[in-house]
PDB file of all heavy atoms in Angstrom:
ATOM      1  N   CYS A 990     102.438 106.831  94.352  1.00  0.00           N
ATOM      2  CA  CYS A 990     103.197 105.611  94.086  1.00  0.00           C
ATOM      3  C   CYS A 990     103.398 105.440  92.583  1.00  0.00           C
ATOM      4  O   CYS A 990     102.426 105.227  91.849  1.00  0.00           O
ATOM      5  CB  CYS A 990     102.466 104.398  94.640  1.00  0.00           C
ATOM      6  SG  CYS A 990     102.172 104.440  96.422  1.00  0.00           S
ATOM      7  N   ASN A1002      96.155  99.049  99.099  1.00  0.00           N
ATOM      8  CA  ASN A1002      95.376  98.568 100.234  1.00  0.00           C
ATOM      9  C   ASN A1002      96.149  98.621 101.543  1.00  0.00           C
ATOM     10  O   ASN A1002      95.568  98.838 102.609  1.00  0.00           O
ATOM     11  CB  ASN A1002      94.866  97.149  99.951  1.00  0.00           C
ATOM     12  CG  ASN A1002      93.661  97.163  99.033  1.00  0.00           C
ATOM     13  OD1 ASN A1002      92.621  97.729  99.377  1.00  0.00           O
ATOM     14  ND2 ASN A1002      93.781  96.573  97.861  1.00  0.00           N
ATOM     15  N   LEU A1004      98.373 100.986 102.270  1.00  0.00           N
ATOM     16  CA  LEU A1004      98.298 102.396 102.659  1.00  0.00           C
ATOM     17  C   LEU A1004      96.924 102.733 103.227  1.00  0.00           C
ATOM     18  O   LEU A1004      96.813 103.409 104.263  1.00  0.00           O
ATOM     19  CB  LEU A1004      98.616 103.289 101.462  1.00  0.00           C
ATOM     20  CG  LEU A1004     100.089 103.310 101.043  1.00  0.00           C
ATOM     21  CD1 LEU A1004     100.261 104.014  99.692  1.00  0.00           C
ATOM     22  CD2 LEU A1004     100.952 104.009 102.093  1.00  0.00           C
ATOM     23  N   SER A1010      96.550 107.756 102.265  1.00  0.00           N
ATOM     24  CA  SER A1010      95.773 107.876 101.029  1.00  0.00           C
ATOM     25  C   SER A1010      96.687 107.607  99.838  1.00  0.00           C
ATOM     26  O   SER A1010      97.623 108.372  99.590  1.00  0.00           O
ATOM     27  CB  SER A1010      95.168 109.279 100.926  1.00  0.00           C
ATOM     28  OG  SER A1010      94.418 109.425  99.740  1.00  0.00           O
ATOM     29  N   GLN A1028     102.206 114.298  99.991  1.00  0.00           N
ATOM     30  CA  GLN A1028     103.052 114.418 101.189  1.00  0.00           C
ATOM     31  C   GLN A1028     104.322 113.574 101.086  1.00  0.00           C
ATOM     32  O   GLN A1028     105.290 113.812 101.785  1.00  0.00           O
ATOM     33  CB  GLN A1028     102.272 114.030 102.439  1.00  0.00           C
ATOM     34  CG  GLN A1028     101.379 115.143 102.978  1.00  0.00           C
ATOM     35  CD  GLN A1028     100.192 115.444 102.073  1.00  0.00           C
ATOM     36  OE1 GLN A1028      99.355 114.581 101.843  1.00  0.00           O
ATOM     37  NE2 GLN A1028     100.131 116.653 101.547  1.00  0.00           N
ATOM     38  N   MET A1045     109.554 108.806  86.718  1.00  0.00           N
ATOM     39  CA  MET A1045     110.185 108.569  88.018  1.00  0.00           C
ATOM     40  C   MET A1045     111.178 109.673  88.352  1.00  0.00           C
ATOM     41  O   MET A1045     111.182 110.215  89.462  1.00  0.00           O
ATOM     42  CB  MET A1045     110.897 107.205  87.999  1.00  0.00           C
ATOM     43  CG  MET A1045     109.979 106.018  87.938  1.00  0.00           C
ATOM     44  SD  MET A1045     110.899 104.457  87.740  1.00  0.00           S
ATOM     45  CE  MET A1045     109.573 103.259  87.906  1.00  0.00           C
ATOM     46  N   SER A1047     111.392 112.713  87.004  1.00  0.00           N
ATOM     47  CA  SER A1047     110.727 114.008  87.113  1.00  0.00           C
ATOM     48  C   SER A1047     110.060 114.180  88.474  1.00  0.00           C
ATOM     49  O   SER A1047     110.186 115.227  89.123  1.00  0.00           O
ATOM     50  CB  SER A1047     109.688 114.143  85.994  1.00  0.00           C
ATOM     51  OG  SER A1047     108.974 115.350  86.105  1.00  0.00           O
ATOM     52  N   LYS A1050     112.794 114.516  91.257  1.00  0.00           N
ATOM     53  CA  LYS A1050     113.410 115.845  91.238  1.00  0.00           C
ATOM     54  C   LYS A1050     112.475 116.901  91.816  1.00  0.00           C
ATOM     55  O   LYS A1050     112.897 117.772  92.584  1.00  0.00           O
ATOM     56  CB  LYS A1050     113.799 116.220  89.804  1.00  0.00           C
ATOM     57  CG  LYS A1050     114.985 115.455  89.250  1.00  0.00           C
ATOM     58  CD  LYS A1050     115.232 115.830  87.790  1.00  0.00           C
ATOM     59  CE  LYS A1050     116.387 115.026  87.204  1.00  0.00           C
ATOM     60  NZ  LYS A1050     116.577 115.305  85.757  1.00  0.00           N
ATOM     61  N   GLY A1067     120.243  94.418  90.624  1.00  0.00           N
ATOM     62  CA  GLY A1067     121.415  93.833  89.985  1.00  0.00           C
ATOM     63  C   GLY A1067     121.107  92.851  88.878  1.00  0.00           C
ATOM     64  O   GLY A1067     122.013  92.176  88.375  1.00  0.00           O
ATOM     65  N   LEU A1073     120.116  98.345  86.709  1.00  0.00           N
ATOM     66  CA  LEU A1073     121.078  98.892  87.660  1.00  0.00           C
ATOM     67  C   LEU A1073     121.364 100.358  87.361  1.00  0.00           C
ATOM     68  O   LEU A1073     121.412 101.185  88.277  1.00  0.00           O
ATOM     69  CB  LEU A1073     122.376  98.084  87.631  1.00  0.00           C
ATOM     70  CG  LEU A1073     123.468  98.530  88.615  1.00  0.00           C
ATOM     71  CD1 LEU A1073     122.982  98.434  90.057  1.00  0.00           C
ATOM     72  CD2 LEU A1073     124.738  97.706  88.421  1.00  0.00           C
ATOM     73  N   CYS A1076     118.464 102.469  88.528  1.00  0.00           N
ATOM     74  CA  CYS A1076     118.426 102.569  89.995  1.00  0.00           C
ATOM     75  C   CYS A1076     119.511 103.509  90.514  1.00  0.00           C
ATOM     76  O   CYS A1076     119.269 104.318  91.421  1.00  0.00           O
ATOM     77  CB  CYS A1076     118.575 101.193  90.619  1.00  0.00           C
ATOM     78  SG  CYS A1076     117.129 100.124  90.420  1.00  0.00           S
ATOM     79  N   SER A1085     114.949 109.983 100.276  1.00  0.00           N
ATOM     80  CA  SER A1085     115.001 110.016 101.739  1.00  0.00           C
ATOM     81  C   SER A1085     115.346 108.635 102.284  1.00  0.00           C
ATOM     82  O   SER A1085     116.087 108.510 103.260  1.00  0.00           O
ATOM     83  CB  SER A1085     113.656 110.464 102.312  1.00  0.00           C
ATOM     84  OG  SER A1085     113.245 111.679 101.738  1.00  0.00           O
ATOM     85  N   GLY A1107     115.495  86.749  90.478  1.00  0.00           N
ATOM     86  CA  GLY A1107     114.392  87.653  90.190  1.00  0.00           C
ATOM     87  C   GLY A1107     114.265  88.678  91.293  1.00  0.00           C
ATOM     88  O   GLY A1107     115.236  89.333  91.651  1.00  0.00           O
ATOM     89  N   VAL A1108     113.059  88.807  91.855  1.00  0.00           N
ATOM     90  CA  VAL A1108     112.852  89.797  92.917  1.00  0.00           C
ATOM     91  C   VAL A1108     113.233  89.241  94.282  1.00  0.00           C
ATOM     92  O   VAL A1108     113.249  89.972  95.267  1.00  0.00           O
ATOM     93  CB  VAL A1108     111.382  90.291  92.956  1.00  0.00           C
ATOM     94  CG1 VAL A1108     111.015  90.932  91.646  1.00  0.00           C
ATOM     95  CG2 VAL A1108     110.423  89.143  93.268  1.00  0.00           C
ATOM     96  N   VAL A1118     124.713  94.406 105.793  1.00  0.00           N
ATOM     97  CA  VAL A1118     124.837  95.532 106.731  1.00  0.00           C
ATOM     98  C   VAL A1118     125.916  96.519 106.277  1.00  0.00           C
ATOM     99  O   VAL A1118     125.681  97.732 106.213  1.00  0.00           O
ATOM    100  CB  VAL A1118     125.128  95.048 108.161  1.00  0.00           C
ATOM    101  CG1 VAL A1118     125.453  96.229 109.075  1.00  0.00           C
ATOM    102  CG2 VAL A1118     123.939  94.279 108.715  1.00  0.00           C
ATOM    103  N   GLN A1126     125.983 106.202 103.489  1.00  0.00           N
ATOM    104  CA  GLN A1126     127.005 107.256 103.563  1.00  0.00           C
ATOM    105  C   GLN A1126     127.206 107.932 102.218  1.00  0.00           C
ATOM    106  O   GLN A1126     127.362 109.151 102.131  1.00  0.00           O
ATOM    107  CB  GLN A1126     128.309 106.664 104.080  1.00  0.00           C
ATOM    108  CG  GLN A1126     128.268 106.257 105.542  1.00  0.00           C
ATOM    109  CD  GLN A1126     129.418 105.358 105.951  1.00  0.00           C
ATOM    110  OE1 GLN A1126     130.279 105.006 105.145  1.00  0.00           O
ATOM    111  NE2 GLN A1126     129.448 104.948 107.220  1.00  0.00           N
ATOM    112  N   ILE A1131     118.587 107.179 104.158  1.00  0.00           N
ATOM    113  CA  ILE A1131     118.402 106.075 105.084  1.00  0.00           C
ATOM    114  C   ILE A1131     118.286 104.820 104.225  1.00  0.00           C
ATOM    115  O   ILE A1131     117.592 104.820 103.205  1.00  0.00           O
ATOM    116  CB  ILE A1131     117.127 106.260 105.927  1.00  0.00           C
ATOM    117  CG1 ILE A1131     117.162 107.582 106.698  1.00  0.00           C
ATOM    118  CG2 ILE A1131     116.933 105.067 106.866  1.00  0.00           C
ATOM    119  CD1 ILE A1131     118.342 107.737 107.624  1.00  0.00           C
ATOM    120  N   ALA A1189     107.828 101.805 110.594  1.00  0.00           N
ATOM    121  CA  ALA A1189     106.983 101.234 109.536  1.00  0.00           C
ATOM    122  C   ALA A1189     107.273  99.752 109.341  1.00  0.00           C
ATOM    123  O   ALA A1189     106.350  98.935 109.200  1.00  0.00           O
ATOM    124  CB  ALA A1189     107.204 101.996 108.231  1.00  0.00           C
ATOM    125  N   ASN A1234     118.942  98.047 118.884  1.00  0.00           N
ATOM    126  CA  ASN A1234     120.153  98.675 118.342  1.00  0.00           C
ATOM    127  C   ASN A1234     121.183  97.591 118.025  1.00  0.00           C
ATOM    128  O   ASN A1234     121.463  96.740 118.871  1.00  0.00           O
ATOM    129  CB  ASN A1234     120.750  99.664 119.347  1.00  0.00           C
ATOM    130  CG  ASN A1234     119.882 100.893 119.518  1.00  0.00           C
ATOM    131  OD1 ASN A1234     119.311 101.381 118.568  1.00  0.00           O
ATOM    132  ND2 ASN A1234     119.773 101.377 120.748  1.00  0.00           N
TER     133      ASN A1234
END
Side-chain angles (χ1 to χ4, degrees):
C990 300
N1002 281 298
L1004 287 169
S1010 180
Q1028 279 69 62
M1045 291 174 173
S1047 177
K1050 288 176 182 176
L1073 182 60
C1076 289
S1085 307
V1108 300
V1118 172
Q1126 290 165 0
I1131 303 302
N1234 290 322

